[in-house]
Amino acid sequence: MRTDKSSIITRRTSTSQPDWRADLSASVTDPETLLRLLGLDRSLLPAARAAAQNFGLRVPRDFIARMAHGDPRDPLLLQILPLQAELDEIRGFGPDPVGDHNAELRPGLLRKYAGRALLIASGACGVNCRYCFRRQFPYAGHSAATGRWQASVEAIGADPTIREVILSGGDPLVLPDDQLASLTSALAGIPHVHSFRIHTRMPVVLPTRVDAGLVRWLASIPVPVTIVVHANHPREIDTNVAAALGRMRAAGGHVLNQAVLLHGVNDDPDTLVALSETLFAAGVLPYYLHLLDRVTGAAHFDVSENRARQLLWEVARRLPGYLVPRLVREIAGHPFKAPLSPLPPDETFEAEPMPHPL
C-alpha cells in the first residue's frame, strides 16, 4: 500500500516563505518520525538513531509520500533510512573514495578532468542519501554558500583551459535564486567558460524547488546549461517531478539523469529498464549508471562489477541505445570516469547478492 500523501505532507506554516523553502524546512530529520509516518516497526529505531549520529537523516515529506506504507524494503526508503550496517568498518571503504581532497585547487574548487572544473556550490542537500560519496566531505569553508567563492571564480578565470564549470555540492539548488544568479553571472563573465553543468537531486526529491524564480534564473544564463538530475528508481518520478523537469527543459536546460547502482534498490533489469523508460517519458535521457563509490558506511549498497555488467547487458538487450546509460566507475586520479562494457550472461557465474541488513 502506497502512503497517503495527505497524512505526510503538512501544510506550510509561513506564507512569507517561498513554497520550496517551507517544504524543505518541513523535511523529516528524526528517525522516529520517519518510522511513524510510514507505519514501520519501532525495532528499527535504535539502529537508525545510532547511524544518524554519524550522518544525519534528512528527507522531504513529498519524497516520503512516494514510499510504500509498512514496507521496510521499499526501494525509496532504503536510500534514506539510517541502518546499523553503516557503522560497520569494511575493508576497501573509506572517507574519500573518489579523491576529492587531492583534486581541490581552492576551497570548494575541484579539478579532476581536462576542460572542466567543479565548484562545491553548497554544503547542504535536500535529502541525505545514505550512499552519498561526500557524506564525510568537510563542507565548512569549502562551498560557495559560505560566500568564499570569489577566489574560485578568479582561479577559473585565470585558467583558459576550463571551458565548462560544474555546480555541485551538496546540492547547488539549495541556494536561493539571487545567490545562484550572482555566482553564475560572475562565471558567465569569464570569456573561456562556454557552458555550465548543474548536478542536483532537488527536482526529484523536492519538485516545488523548480518554481518561477528558478526558471527565470535558468533562462537568464547566457551560456548552454546541462542539468544532471539524480533518480535511481522509476517510482521517484511522479507527475510533480515530471512537471518540474519539463519546466527546466522549457527554460532551455538540457536534462540528463545519473543513477547509482544500489543493492536492494535498483539492481535488477526490470527496474533499470523501467527507470530509463520513465525518464524518457519525462523528457530526460539516461546518462550515467555509477557503480557505488566506496565510501565508509555504504558497503551494504555495493553491487559487484560482474553483476553490474551483466545487468547492463540485459538492459542493452531490451532498450534502444539512446536509453542505455553508460555504466561507469569513478577512480581517484583517473583522467575520466572508467566505462564498463556489458557482460553476457555466464552460466558458470553464480555470484550471490550480498544479503541486505534488513
Side-chain angles (χ1 to χ4, degrees):
M1 180 177 68
R2 195 65 48 78
T3 299
D4 177 10
K5 283 195 175 189
S6 64
S7 67
I8 289 180
I9 301 176
T10 58
R11 288 295 170 190
R12 302 173 185 95
T13 59
S14 171
T15 57
S16 64
Q17 282 186 309
D19 289 351
W20 72 271
R21 289 195 183 184
D23 291 342
L24 186 61
S25 295
S27 294
V28 171
T29 58
D30 174 35
E32 185 172 14
T33 302
L34 177 67
L35 299 181
R36 176 177 54 79
L37 289 173
L38 290 171
L40 295 172
D41 196 315
R42 283 181 58 86
S43 64
L44 297 170
L45 185 57
R49 280 180 168 161
Q53 289 295 314
N54 283 357
F55 182 51
L57 168 71
R58 173 174 292 277
V59 55
R61 290 171 181 262
D62 185 277
F63 196 65
I64 297 172
R66 297 172 227 166
M67 300 174 188
H69 191 82
D71 183 2
R73 297 182 182 273
D74 180 87
L76 277 60
L77 172 69
L78 291 178
Q79 297 179 55
I80 58 89
L81 176 65
L83 296 175
Q84 182 67 37
E86 296 180 30
L87 304 178
D88 296 339
E89 293 290 334
I90 304 296
R91 184 177 179 181
F93 289 75
D96 184 21
V98 298
D100 278 348
H101 297 312
N102 289 337
E104 196 171 31
L105 300 180
R106 298 283 189 283
L109 178 64
L110 280 58
R111 184 73 189 276
K112 293 184 178 181
Y113 306 128
R116 289 150 283 176
L118 184 146
L119 191 61
I120 302 290
S122 169
C125 277
V127 63
N128 284 355
C129 301
R130 310 314 298 178
Y131 53 87
C132 177
F133 68 94
R134 289 197 179 119
R135 55 184 284 164
Q136 297 189 36
F137 188 84
Y139 285 112
H142 291 260
S143 72
T146 65
R148 301 174 182 173
W149 48 262
Q150 189 57 43
S152 294
V153 172
E154 291 172 359
I156 293 170
D159 186 346
T161 69
I162 296 174
R163 300 182 301 279
E164 180 184 46
V165 175
I166 302 165
L167 302 185
S168 185
D171 195 310
L173 296 194
V174 170
L175 297 177
D177 298 337
D178 58 350
Q179 192 165 357
L180 288 168
S182 176
L183 177 58
T184 53
S185 176
L187 291 167
I190 299 172
H192 54 263
V193 172
H194 297 161
S195 63
F196 291 150
R197 198 187 327 165
I198 301 167
H199 285 198
T200 178
R201 190 143 161 77
M202 286 285 278
V204 174
V205 301
L206 197 72
T208 53
R209 176 63 185 100
V210 188
D211 58 10
L214 185 81
V215 168
R216 284 194 297 271
W217 165 65
L218 286 173
S220 72
I221 297 174
V223 298
V225 178
T226 300
I227 303 158
V228 183
V229 297
H230 177 184
N232 298 312
H233 193 278
R235 274 192 18 227
E236 296 179 40
I237 305 166
D238 64 7
T239 54
N240 289 332
V241 172
L245 297 171
R247 291 193 292 274
M248 290 193 297
R249 293 199 320 277
H254 307 281
V255 187
L256 308 174
N257 184 70
Q258 60 180 355
V260 181
L261 188 61
L262 301 167
H263 173 57
V265 174
N266 59 6
D267 58 333
D268 68 89
D270 290 344
T271 299
L272 293 173
V273 167
L275 176 60
S276 284
E277 291 177 336
T278 304
L279 286 166
F280 187 62
V284 180
L285 281 178
Y287 175 37
Y288 278 145
L289 177 62
H290 290 263
L291 288 190
L292 181 74
D293 295 318
R294 294 187 167 183
V295 66
T296 300
H300 54 291
F301 288 113
D302 199 26
V303 177
S304 73
E305 182 176 316
N306 276 339
R307 173 64 177 155
R309 292 173 62 195
Q310 290 181 334
L311 286 169
L312 187 65
W313 178 279
E314 181 62 18
V315 171
R317 186 183 70 81
R318 292 165 57 176
L319 289 176
Y322 58 86
L323 291 187
V324 180
R326 296 174 60 194
L327 179 65
V328 295
R329 182 189 289 283
E330 184 165 355
I331 302 171
H334 204 67
F336 50 86
K337 289 180 174 63
L340 302 170
S341 60
L343 181 70
D346 183 350
E347 293 182 1
T348 65
F349 184 78
E350 298 292 342
E352 293 293 328
M354 182 185 300
H356 202 278
L358 286 177

